Amino acid sequence: MSTENASSNLTVIPSDSLRAALNPDGTLDRDRFNIPVTSATLNPTSPASPVLSKDVPINPSHSTWARIFLPTRALSCSEEKLPVIVYYHGGAFILYSAASTLFHEFCVSLARELSAVVVSVEYRLAPEHRLPMAYDDAVEALHWVKTAREEWLAGHVDLSTCYLMGTNAGGNLAFFAGLRASASHDELKPLKIRGVILHHPFFGGSQRTPSELRLVNDQMLPLAKGDFLWELSLPLGATRDHVCCNPIVDGGSKISEGVDKMRSLGWRLLVAGCDGDPLFDRQVEFAQMMQEKGVSVVRVFTEGGHHVIEVTEPDRSKPLLQTLKTFMSTTVTS
């Protein structure tokens, strides 16, 4: 499906525009892209606001913060504690924000349809802050959630029912944050992670996959653009077989210890994608590897579509949201 049918909030940026936006000092001039943003919504009296949101700092020295989404009905049900989804936005590690309209609206849908508090994390972006700095911010956000005295978190969140979720680069982030969190899960108590949700995760590798070759000129994520995005986000000098990009390299040997820990903790994994996405084969291979390593994996792969279709076309998100609702309910009871 062509991205011409996607939401008007989506900014599809060609590779040439990205290269032109690079400053001589290696920073990126993001202002030139005019990516739409949405302010947080704190007014509970508006009938158009089934979900409230507000921005709260995490680490001012790193300029990281969180946008918290709370279903409005929770204000009248103070005794009910809701699950918390720690969400990491997409943008290939270099673009977008927790305030970007695209991801703001998606998080509103998550909070409303899943009856959950969503904590959308603003992390540092490459190329100014190359990987693994975003992973550092992702994990720091988990420690912040467990200790935050912020009233919505303290009053409405069940810390024993936490999910990590991300879209595109955020899916990559959710996975690697999960690996780190599993290694120090005792330090995160009373926060208890139940599962990890990877929505169209951004993975790569040096060897081309059939879906990448079939969709080499994909409008949203052509092969050359994907290569350049990894060039901007990986550690200097790293190839696309760096573990941050290609976790299944060498059979996943570089992540085996963390995966074993995830499995022993009983965490479940959901991987969602579609075959209209150049990254499809990588997502399928990743899910298969995780299953072979003994992790409980739910695979949600659909025909057609395009990369992050449920974000760019909200009317196509209902099946995914229903699947997430089922996943979360069965994870808690299992």
Side-chain angles (χ1 to χ4, degrees):
M1 178 178 293
S2 169
T3 56
E4 292 174 357
N5 297 324
S7 165
S8 61
N9 292 323
L10 174 66
T11 304
V12 179
I13 301 171
S15 299
D16 289 347
S17 297
L18 284 172
R19 293 182 186 277
L22 275 178
N23 296 315
D25 63 357
T27 60
L28 190 67
D29 179 10
R30 296 177 180 82
D31 291 339
R32 68 191 296 159
F33 300 131
N34 296 316
I35 295 174
V37 297
T38 296
S39 299
T41 305
L42 266 172
N43 182 7
T45 62
S46 171
S49 301
V51 174
L52 306 178
S53 57
K54 63 177 168 181
D55 298 337
V56 184
I58 295 178
N59 185 339
S61 67
H62 291 163
S63 298
T64 57
W65 48 274
R67 176 162 292 184
I68 306 175
F69 297 82
L70 176 74
T72 305
R73 66 171 186 81
L75 296 176
S76 58
C77 304
S78 58
E79 294 183 0
E80 181 185 9
K81 299 291 187 179
L82 303 177
V84 58
I85 299 172
V86 180
Y87 180 81
Y88 305 104
H89 68 80
F93 296 110
I94 71 167
L95 294 172
Y96 290 94
S97 159
S100 296
T101 299
L102 200 65
F103 296 108
H104 174 93
E105 293 181 350
F106 187 60
C107 287
V108 167
S109 296
L110 292 175
R112 182 184 65 241
E113 300 299 327
L114 303 180
S115 295
V117 175
V118 178
V119 178
S120 182
V121 178
E122 180 76 353
Y123 53 89
R124 289 173 290 177
L125 298 177
E128 297 87 348
H129 306 284
R130 291 174 176 268
L131 293 173
M133 287 187 182
Y135 299 162
D136 298 339
D137 296 341
V139 174
E140 184 177 40
L142 299 180
H143 287 273
W144 175 80
V145 168
K146 78 158 188 178
T147 58
R149 297 180 181 179
E150 197 285 321
E151 59 178 334
W152 285 1
L153 298 182
H156 301 287
V157 163
D158 175 7
L159 290 176
S160 71
T161 311
C162 174
Y163 298 86
L164 309 185
M165 179 177 179
T167 298
N168 177 263
N172 179 306
L173 265 178
F175 175 67
F176 281 99
L179 286 182
R180 292 190 181 190
S182 68
S184 57
H185 69 284
D186 285 336
E187 298 174 12
L188 285 171
K189 292 179 179 178
L191 189 72
K192 184 175 182 179
I193 297 170
R194 301 280 187 164
V196 182
I197 300 164
L198 312 186
H199 178 231
H200 293 224
F202 186 49
F203 295 132
S206 295
Q207 185 174 348
R208 305 307 189 186
T209 67
S211 63
E212 288 174 337
L213 295 175
R214 173 170 53 88
L215 297 166
V216 63
N217 293 316
D218 180 69
Q219 287 192 354
M220 184 178 292
L221 195 60
L223 193 58
K225 179 179 176 181
D227 290 351
F228 185 55
L229 292 169
W230 281 117
E231 182 182 329
L232 293 178
S233 57
L234 286 170
L236 288 172
T239 72
R240 292 191 307 277
D241 283 329
H242 189 284
V243 67
C244 293
C245 175
N246 188 4
I248 71 172
V249 70
D250 298 328
S253 60
K254 296 179 180 179
I255 60 171
S256 289
E257 185 176 347
V259 172
D260 288 344
K261 191 64 177 179
M262 279 185 174
R263 175 176 47 79
S264 69
L265 291 170
W267 294 5
R268 299 177 72 216
L269 179 70
L270 185 148
V271 184
C274 66
D275 69 4
D277 181 355
L279 303 181
F280 176 71
D281 287 343
R282 296 195 182 279
Q283 295 157 359
V284 171
E285 291 172 4
F286 172 81
Q288 181 65 33
M289 181 198 71
M290 293 295 287
Q291 196 163 34
E292 291 173 354
K293 289 181 177 293
V295 176
S296 176
V297 179
V298 175
R299 295 190 280 187
V300 185
F301 296 121
T302 59
E303 295 182 357
H306 58 75
H307 187 56
V308 302
I309 186 172
E310 294 88 358
V311 175
T312 63
E313 299 184 40
D315 60 338
R316 302 285 293 272
S317 67
K318 290 183 179 179
L320 174 67
L321 293 170
Q322 184 57 52
T323 299
L324 294 181
K325 185 180 294 186
T326 301
F327 176 77
M328 290 171 64
S329 64
T330 55
T331 300
V332 171
T333 57
S334 61

